[in-house]
Amino acid sequence: MTYLHQAADGTFTYNLSGHQTFRLPAAPPEVATSTAAEWLDGAAKLLVDMIDTTSSTKSNVDLSDVGREKQLEPKRGKFVEDIAARWRAIEVREENVSISEATYLAPPKLESSNFAGAVEDREIRDWWRSQSVEARAKAMADIQTDVSGNERLMVALMRSPIRLHDSEAKFMKETWAAAVRQRNADVFAAFDAARESFEWARRGLANIVGISGATLGKSWDRERVVRQLLSSENVYAPSGYGAWGITAPEVARIKVRIEHEKSRAAGFQGTV
């Protein structure tokens, strides 16, 4: 049985049915019992099943070595796909959180039909550019003490098609973001908790991938994993190669190799 145990110091230990254990740092309930954590728990159970299946199959005296491998290989491939799919599902969730957060943090858009707003934006930006460095510094100090009273100024400057000086752009972006976060504290607390849960689950999945190496065997190297994922019918699996620390350039090169192999095979068939 796979179970998650929390120690007195808050850290967590996954006990993989007595096979092996791995530890995760302390985490609050909204992280340790999140959806991502449930995906991690499912992955741990898959690993235990894979270890047990491998052990029982290899001890089956009615099968030859070839027969044992023939039974195990499809299950190994399925395991690799399932772990990759969980890794990618976490990435997708994280991307969605980033999109939602960016939507909150973006300054209000100016509708193309809002001619008066466009004129006002330009007047504000012209005024800002006419100010001395000292006057701008004072204005930024005023903004910092009263963001809500200077929002119109900030929005016009952040919507400028001409980039502000780096220090001014950084100040406006960070001050605006801090104000938005404060106004929407509940929303951003949920974003932060989600991100923490994603990272926590990824650490667990990385441990599972590391432990699974001995069960999968040496033939399941990085290229073998990529080839399995690229052939998967699971929509998430082909993009879940990050679970093995595999990079996009590596995958791209293997794709080239696969296409090269297909072209050569087609060419040879045509000349026979």
Side-chain angles (χ1 to χ4, degrees), residues 3-42:
Y3 64 92
L4 184 63
H5 172 71
Q6 187 172 22
D9 63 358
T11 59
F12 290 84
T13 300
Y14 263 99
N15 187 321
L16 305 177
S17 295
H19 297 297
Q20 292 194 53
T21 63
F22 65 87
R23 292 178 174 80
L24 291 174
E30 63 271 19
V31 171
T33 59
S34 64
T35 299
E38 290 177 2
W39 291 340
L40 169 60
D41 193 57

Side-chain angles (χ1 to χ4, degrees), residues 187-224:
V187 173
F188 281 87
F191 289 160
D192 292 341
R195 283 204 174 91
E196 190 177 340
S197 73
F198 301 150
E199 184 55 33
W200 196 78
R202 267 196 295 261
R203 290 183 66 165
L205 286 173
N207 276 282
I208 286 173
V209 167
I211 294 170
S212 71
T215 300
L216 292 175
K218 292 181 179 180
S219 67
W220 282 88
D221 58 13
R222 294 163 77 87
E223 180 164 344
R224 177 79 181 278

Side-chain angles (χ1 to χ4, degrees), residues 214-242:
T215 300
L216 292 175
K218 292 181 179 180
S219 67
W220 282 88
D221 58 13
R222 294 163 77 87
E223 180 164 344
R224 177 79 181 278
V225 167
V226 172
R227 287 174 179 267
Q228 181 69 39
L229 297 183
L230 292 177
S231 66
S232 176
E233 294 182 358
N234 185 314
V235 293
Y236 279 170
S239 300
Y241 48 82

